[in-house]
Amino acid sequence: EIVLTQSPGTLSLSPGERATLSCRASQGLYTSYLAWYQQKPGQAPRLLIYGASSRATGIPDRFSGSGSGTDFTLTISRLEPEDFAMYYCQQYGSLATFGQGTNVEIK
Amino acid sequence: QVQLQESGPGLVKPSETLSLTCTVSGGSIRSATSFWSWVRQPAGKAPEWIGRIYTTGTTNYNPSFKSRVTISLDASRNQFSLMLTSVTAADTAVYYCAREVRVAVAVGYLDNWGQGTLVTVSA
């Protein structure tokens, strides 16, 4: 099983700041089969990024994904109030597993 | 836009079988470019992928569930279902059905989710 480790566990930032979230895989991901999801309380996760760097339909361009192999990053260039939420990475090249999440909270 | 809606009992007794159905609208469960999946999320924890089914009936399951899980589909009703046997309190979670965009054999990312349904395992 591929294990995903996200860091940090919690990120405390102010609106307008840049957020950088990390996801590390226990083994290299074939063809960068890595996705990022945003989840707010009481809601289902929402797809942000797939294929490590492709934005899903309707996702603002302040969200960007990068990385390959074992190290991946989600960047939010300027945090908007609605961006404060939990973020999960997921690999889908070997069945599917999720990271434990990063909580982006208002400082 | 595909929409998914879970239905089923919100309370299941220990050792019994959890059964949920997902109704798909706005798209066909026969689509060659989709997988149909179940994901669960215990309170305060990360999502956990349970498994998927393809229009051909081919399934893939998370090994963590061993032989307890079965996913099936009913194309005539545009529905797919989850059965999880021998449940315990550890199976208490919000259960989501979701559509995976198929990018290769047994490879897909989750782009549409149902709203989720809480299933509690308790006597």
Side-chain angles (χ1 to χ4, degrees):
Chain A
E1 176 184 313
I2 297 176
V3 176
L4 299 179
T5 302
Q6 293 186 241
S7 60
T10 300
L11 200 50
S12 298
L13 295 168
S14 300
E17 290 194 295
R18 181 185 188 90
T20 303
L21 288 67
S22 174
C23 177
R24 176 163 289 179
S26 59
Q27 56 188 275
L29 301 189
Y30 178 71
T31 318
S32 296
Y33 288 145
L34 191 285
W36 290 93
Y37 301 85
Q38 176 193 69
Q39 188 177 32
K40 297 180 180 178
Q43 297 183 15
R46 177 174 73 141
L47 177 68
L48 299 175
I49 301 287
Y50 63 93
S53 61
S54 296
R55 268 189 303 276
T57 302
I59 301 303
D61 60 8
R62 64 180 181 273
F63 290 92
S64 64
S66 63
S68 64
T70 59
D71 291 298
F72 299 86
T73 300
L74 175 70
T75 302
I76 311 170
S77 58
R78 287 176 56 86
L79 282 163
E80 297 287 341
E82 62 269 26
D83 299 336
F84 291 91
M86 184 70 75
Y87 292 84
Y88 295 100
C89 59
Q90 179 223 9
Q91 68 80 21
Y92 53 92
S94 175
L95 299 181
T97 51
F98 289 85
Q100 82 278 20
T102 290
N103 182 29
V104 178
E105 65 174 24
I106 299 177
K107 187 174 182 180
Chain B
Q1 172 89 345
V2 171
Q3 294 188 315
L4 303 101
Q5 178 66 58
E6 306 88 353
S7 58
L11 181 64
V12 181
K13 291 183 168 57
S15 80
E16 294 192 344
T17 296
L18 179 159
S19 295
L20 295 173
T21 295
C22 182
T23 300
V24 179
S25 58
S28 174
I29 206 165
R30 293 187 174 95
S31 169
T33 59
S34 301
F35 296 115
W36 306 99
S37 302
W38 289 95
V39 177
R40 73 178 187 182
Q41 187 172 28
K45 296 188 177 181
E48 180 179 32
W49 183 80
I50 299 171
R52 64 163 73 97
I53 190 165
Y54 188 52
T55 181
T56 58
T58 300
T59 53
N60 303 114
Y61 297 128
N62 183 334
S64 299
F65 294 92
K66 297 181 182 179
S67 58
R68 293 201 299 141
V69 64
T70 302
I71 297 176
S72 59
L73 65 82
D74 183 341
S76 66
R77 296 185 176 187
N78 226 35
Q79 295 177 333
F80 63 106
S81 298
L82 169 71
M83 288 181 52
L84 185 65
T85 62
S86 304
V87 297
T88 69
D91 294 309
T92 295
V94 175
Y95 285 75
Y96 296 99
C97 60
R99 194 267 301 265
E100 289 186 28
V101 175
R102 181 176 184 265
V103 297
V105 174
V107 177
Y109 57 86
L110 298 146
D111 76 328
N112 280 87
W113 298 62
Q115 65 183 29
T117 186
L118 174 62
V119 178
T120 301
V121 179
S122 175

